mmCIF file of all heavy atoms in Angstrom:
data_model
loop_
_atom_site.group_PDB
_atom_site.id
_atom_site.type_symbol
_atom_site.label_atom_id
_atom_site.label_comp_id
_atom_site.label_asym_id
_atom_site.label_seq_id
_atom_site.Cartn_x
_atom_site.Cartn_y
_atom_site.Cartn_z
ATOM 1 N N ARG A 638 -1.062 -2.539 12.020
ATOM 2 C CA ARG A 638 -0.213 -3.630 12.720
ATOM 3 C C ARG A 638 0.251 -4.658 11.817
ATOM 4 O O ARG A 638 1.296 -5.253 11.961
ATOM 5 C CB ARG A 638 -0.984 -3.991 13.885
ATOM 6 C CG ARG A 638 -2.281 -4.750 13.589
ATOM 7 C CD ARG A 638 -2.978 -5.249 14.867
ATOM 8 N NE ARG A 638 -4.219 -6.150 14.485
ATOM 9 C CZ ARG A 638 -4.846 -6.809 15.307
ATOM 10 N NH1 ARG A 638 -4.395 -7.013 16.565
ATOM 11 N NH2 ARG A 638 -5.916 -7.485 14.844
ATOM 12 N N THR A 639 -0.623 -5.138 10.916
ATOM 13 C CA THR A 639 -0.282 -6.206 10.018
ATOM 14 C C THR A 639 0.805 -5.738 9.020
ATOM 15 O O THR A 639 1.735 -6.550 8.707
ATOM 16 C CB THR A 639 -1.443 -6.765 9.129
ATOM 17 O OG1 THR A 639 -2.535 -6.790 10.062
ATOM 18 C CG2 THR A 639 -1.213 -8.091 8.600
ATOM 19 N N MET A 640 0.707 -4.505 8.510
ATOM 20 C CA MET A 640 1.755 -3.927 7.692
ATOM 21 C C MET A 640 3.092 -3.832 8.421
ATOM 22 O O MET A 640 4.205 -4.010 7.965
ATOM 23 C CB MET A 640 1.417 -2.613 7.113
ATOM 24 C CG MET A 640 0.384 -2.549 6.001
ATOM 25 S SD MET A 640 1.166 -3.215 4.502
ATOM 26 C CE MET A 640 2.235 -1.792 4.092
ATOM 27 N N ALA A 641 3.059 -3.464 9.707
ATOM 28 C CA ALA A 641 4.242 -3.244 10.439
ATOM 29 C C ALA A 641 4.960 -4.558 10.643
ATOM 30 O O ALA A 641 6.193 -4.470 10.412
ATOM 31 C CB ALA A 641 3.805 -2.762 11.939
ATOM 32 N N ILE A 642 4.441 -5.700 10.768
ATOM 33 C CA ILE A 642 5.225 -6.875 10.923
ATOM 34 C C ILE A 642 5.445 -7.536 9.524
ATOM 35 O O ILE A 642 6.370 -8.474 9.345
ATOM 36 C CB ILE A 642 4.494 -7.941 11.740
ATOM 37 C CG1 ILE A 642 3.092 -8.451 11.294
ATOM 38 C CG2 ILE A 642 4.441 -7.478 13.166
ATOM 39 C CD1 ILE A 642 2.479 -9.503 12.035
ATOM 40 N N THR A 643 4.718 -7.169 8.446
ATOM 41 C CA THR A 643 4.887 -7.678 7.067
ATOM 42 C C THR A 643 5.961 -6.967 6.388
ATOM 43 O O THR A 643 6.907 -7.488 5.939
ATOM 44 C CB THR A 643 3.538 -7.634 6.293
ATOM 45 O OG1 THR A 643 2.534 -8.342 7.054
ATOM 46 C CG2 THR A 643 3.780 -8.318 4.954
ATOM 47 N N VAL A 644 5.830 -5.675 6.230
ATOM 48 C CA VAL A 644 6.736 -4.911 5.390
ATOM 49 C C VAL A 644 7.878 -4.493 6.258
ATOM 50 O O VAL A 644 8.983 -4.357 5.713
ATOM 51 C CB VAL A 644 5.965 -3.670 4.793
ATOM 52 C CG1 VAL A 644 6.890 -2.956 3.910
ATOM 53 C CG2 VAL A 644 4.759 -4.195 3.982
ATOM 54 N N PHE A 645 7.768 -4.280 7.570
ATOM 55 C CA PHE A 645 8.861 -3.664 8.402
ATOM 56 C C PHE A 645 9.296 -4.749 9.312
ATOM 57 O O PHE A 645 9.768 -4.335 10.459
ATOM 58 C CB PHE A 645 8.413 -2.403 9.004
ATOM 59 C CG PHE A 645 7.920 -1.334 7.938
ATOM 60 C CD1 PHE A 645 6.543 -1.127 7.890
ATOM 61 C CD2 PHE A 645 8.796 -0.675 7.156
ATOM 62 C CE1 PHE A 645 6.134 -0.099 6.970
ATOM 63 C CE2 PHE A 645 8.360 0.242 6.260
ATOM 64 C CZ PHE A 645 7.061 0.475 6.200
ATOM 65 N N GLY A 646 9.176 -5.994 9.077
ATOM 66 C CA GLY A 646 9.476 -7.029 9.997
ATOM 67 C C GLY A 646 10.881 -7.122 10.319
ATOM 68 O O GLY A 646 11.309 -7.820 11.335
ATOM 69 N N ASP A 647 11.825 -6.413 9.587
ATOM 70 C CA ASP A 647 13.232 -6.427 9.910
ATOM 71 C C ASP A 647 13.762 -5.218 10.843
ATOM 72 O O ASP A 647 14.882 -4.974 11.035
ATOM 73 C CB ASP A 647 14.048 -6.520 8.611
ATOM 74 C CG ASP A 647 13.813 -5.315 7.690
ATOM 75 O OD1 ASP A 647 12.748 -4.730 7.804
ATOM 76 O OD2 ASP A 647 14.809 -5.009 6.973
ATOM 77 N N LEU A 648 12.709 -4.385 11.234
ATOM 78 C CA LEU A 648 12.932 -3.285 12.022
ATOM 79 C C LEU A 648 12.355 -3.335 13.334
ATOM 80 O O LEU A 648 11.252 -3.744 13.466
ATOM 81 C CB LEU A 648 12.455 -1.977 11.278
ATOM 82 C CG LEU A 648 13.038 -1.588 9.845
ATOM 83 C CD1 LEU A 648 12.378 -0.437 9.241
ATOM 84 C CD2 LEU A 648 14.574 -1.419 9.910
ATOM 85 N N GLU A 649 13.059 -2.764 14.325
ATOM 86 C CA GLU A 649 12.393 -2.571 15.626
ATOM 87 C C GLU A 649 11.421 -1.237 15.505
ATOM 88 O O GLU A 649 11.779 -0.401 14.645
ATOM 89 C CB GLU A 649 13.358 -2.325 16.721
ATOM 90 C CG GLU A 649 14.258 -3.471 17.029
ATOM 91 C CD GLU A 649 13.722 -4.695 17.529
ATOM 92 O OE1 GLU A 649 12.546 -4.510 18.222
ATOM 93 O OE2 GLU A 649 14.041 -5.839 17.233
ATOM 94 N N ILE A 650 10.347 -1.283 16.091
ATOM 95 C CA ILE A 650 9.384 -0.063 15.855
ATOM 96 C C ILE A 650 9.094 0.526 17.082
ATOM 97 O O ILE A 650 8.776 -0.015 18.159
ATOM 98 C CB ILE A 650 7.957 -0.639 15.328
ATOM 99 C CG1 ILE A 650 8.267 -1.387 13.850
ATOM 100 C CG2 ILE A 650 7.073 0.391 15.208
ATOM 101 C CD1 ILE A 650 7.108 -1.823 13.216
ATOM 102 N N SER A 651 9.190 1.955 17.078
ATOM 103 C CA SER A 651 8.849 2.831 18.197
ATOM 104 C C SER A 651 7.710 3.664 17.694
ATOM 105 O O SER A 651 7.712 4.059 16.528
ATOM 106 C CB SER A 651 10.054 3.691 18.536
ATOM 107 O OG SER A 651 11.073 2.961 19.161
ATOM 108 N N THR A 652 6.833 4.084 18.646
ATOM 109 C CA THR A 652 5.589 4.836 18.222
ATOM 110 C C THR A 652 5.339 6.064 18.992
ATOM 111 O O THR A 652 5.520 5.947 20.284
ATOM 112 C CB THR A 652 4.365 3.914 18.252
ATOM 113 O OG1 THR A 652 4.616 2.793 17.340
ATOM 114 C CG2 THR A 652 3.094 4.644 17.899
ATOM 115 N N LEU A 653 5.187 7.209 18.441
ATOM 116 C CA LEU A 653 4.730 8.509 19.198
ATOM 117 C C LEU A 653 3.323 8.739 18.805
ATOM 118 O O LEU A 653 2.977 8.875 17.640
ATOM 119 C CB LEU A 653 5.645 9.575 18.699
ATOM 120 C CG LEU A 653 6.969 9.727 19.280
ATOM 121 C CD1 LEU A 653 7.771 10.847 18.512
ATOM 122 C CD2 LEU A 653 7.058 9.783 20.749
ATOM 123 N N LYS A 654 2.449 8.854 19.791
ATOM 124 C CA LYS A 654 1.104 9.094 19.530
ATOM 125 C C LYS A 654 0.643 10.467 20.147
ATOM 126 O O LYS A 654 -0.196 11.179 19.502
ATOM 127 C CB LYS A 654 0.173 7.977 20.164
ATOM 128 C CG LYS A 654 0.115 6.827 19.356
ATOM 129 C CD LYS A 654 -0.977 5.772 19.781
ATOM 130 C CE LYS A 654 -1.022 4.599 18.790
ATOM 131 N NZ LYS A 654 -2.184 3.720 19.181
ATOM 132 N N GLU A 655 1.204 10.822 21.323
ATOM 133 C CA GLU A 655 0.624 12.006 21.929
ATOM 134 C C GLU A 655 1.330 13.340 21.311
ATOM 135 O O GLU A 655 2.400 13.270 20.701
ATOM 136 C CB GLU A 655 0.826 11.981 23.357
ATOM 137 C CG GLU A 655 2.425 11.812 23.763
ATOM 138 C CD GLU A 655 2.637 11.716 25.199
ATOM 139 O OE1 GLU A 655 2.004 12.398 26.047
ATOM 140 O OE2 GLU A 655 3.483 10.776 25.579
ATOM 141 N N LEU A 656 0.506 14.384 21.333
ATOM 142 C CA LEU A 656 1.089 15.587 20.790
ATOM 143 C C LEU A 656 1.811 16.394 21.901
ATOM 144 O O LEU A 656 1.381 16.368 23.123
ATOM 145 C CB LEU A 656 -0.090 16.482 20.324
ATOM 146 C CG LEU A 656 -0.867 15.893 19.013
ATOM 147 C CD1 LEU A 656 -1.984 16.817 18.661
ATOM 148 C CD2 LEU A 656 0.030 15.642 17.911
ATOM 149 N N PRO A 657 2.804 17.220 21.578
ATOM 150 C CA PRO A 657 3.474 18.001 22.550
ATOM 151 C C PRO A 657 2.547 18.974 23.256
ATOM 152 O O PRO A 657 1.498 19.357 22.633
ATOM 153 C CB PRO A 657 4.582 18.658 21.790
ATOM 154 C CG PRO A 657 4.756 17.794 20.579
ATOM 155 C CD PRO A 657 3.461 17.235 20.258
ATOM 156 N N GLY A 658 2.890 19.448 24.536
ATOM 157 C CA GLY A 658 2.136 20.300 25.166
ATOM 158 C C GLY A 658 1.905 21.614 24.419
ATOM 159 O O GLY A 658 2.795 22.150 23.748
ATOM 160 N N GLY A 659 0.702 22.158 24.469
ATOM 161 C CA GLY A 659 0.444 23.457 23.807
ATOM 162 C C GLY A 659 -0.100 23.245 22.393
ATOM 163 O O GLY A 659 -0.855 24.076 21.969
#
Side-chain angles (χ1 to χ4, degrees):
R638 58 179 188 166
T639 318
M640 283 289 290
I642 61 173
T643 304
V644 181
F645 305 105
D647 59 335
L648 300 174
E649 300 294 329
I650 297 179
S651 295
T652 301
L653 285 174
K654 285 193 174 183
E655 59 186 314
L656 297 179

